[in-house]
Amino acid sequence: TREVAEHVGKESGKIADAVGKESVKIADAVGKETKKHYDKVAPVVEPHAKKYSSLINGTMADLMTTDEDRWWKQTLDGTARAYGRVVLCDNPFTGLMISLAILFGSPVAWIVSLYCAALTNLTAKVIGLDQSMMRRGIFASNA
């Protein structure tokens, strides 16, 4: 029985080696095929992906502006981020979704919360608080 076990061990080792070599060949073939398709698609997709990537990931930093003459845009962005900060997400799109949920739940509560958040951000602007904090929605997140 020992001889049989040794024979089975050697044969299974050979089989494992053969399967491993075939797996490497298959992986290489898939990699080459994927690269070929990527090379065709990348020139078309990459410019759009770079242009719109900040809209779908992270904090949407491209929307944040430092133009002082665009105070209304800063206030709007800060207000949307403030809604998002309620769920610990510094993203104006998330803030917009939360704002819409409040609107559907209670239009009066939405009007009051929007008024409070906008008023808080405008007050921060008028009294000269740090504008980068206002743009991130720090002041209005408790409004």
Side-chain angles (χ1 to χ4, degrees), residues 11-102:
E11 291 301 315
S12 62
K14 290 178 185 176
I15 292 171
D17 288 343
V19 168
K21 288 176 184 175
E22 285 301 311
S23 297
V24 169
K25 288 179 186 176
I26 291 170
D28 287 343
V30 169
K32 288 176 184 174
E33 200 63 28
T34 302
K35 172 100 172 86
K36 185 169 73 174
H37 290 295
Y38 175 80
D39 290 341
K40 288 180 184 176
V41 173
V44 176
V45 173
E46 281 183 358
H48 298 293
K50 288 178 183 175
K51 182 177 179 182
Y52 297 110
S53 66
S54 76
L55 294 177
I56 58 174
N57 65 9
T59 62
M60 300 175 83
D62 290 351
L63 292 180
M64 294 179 83
T65 179
T66 56
D67 295 339
E68 290 301 319
D69 57 333
R70 303 263 190 232
W71 63 269
W72 59 271
K73 187 175 179 184
Q74 293 176 358
T75 303
L76 183 63
D77 184 42
T79 302
R81 288 177 189 278
Y83 277 95
R85 285 203 175 268
V86 172
V87 292
L88 305 174
C89 187
D90 180 21
N91 186 309
F93 182 73
T94 303
L96 179 63
M97 293 297 108
I98 292 171
S99 177
L100 289 174
I102 294 170

Side-chain angles (χ1 to χ4, degrees), residues 78 85 121 129-140:
R85 285 203 175 268
N121 281 332
L129 294 177
D130 183 13
Q131 295 304 299
S132 66
M133 291 179 71
M134 192 230 18
R135 285 192 302 270
R136 291 192 322 256
I138 301 293
F139 300 129

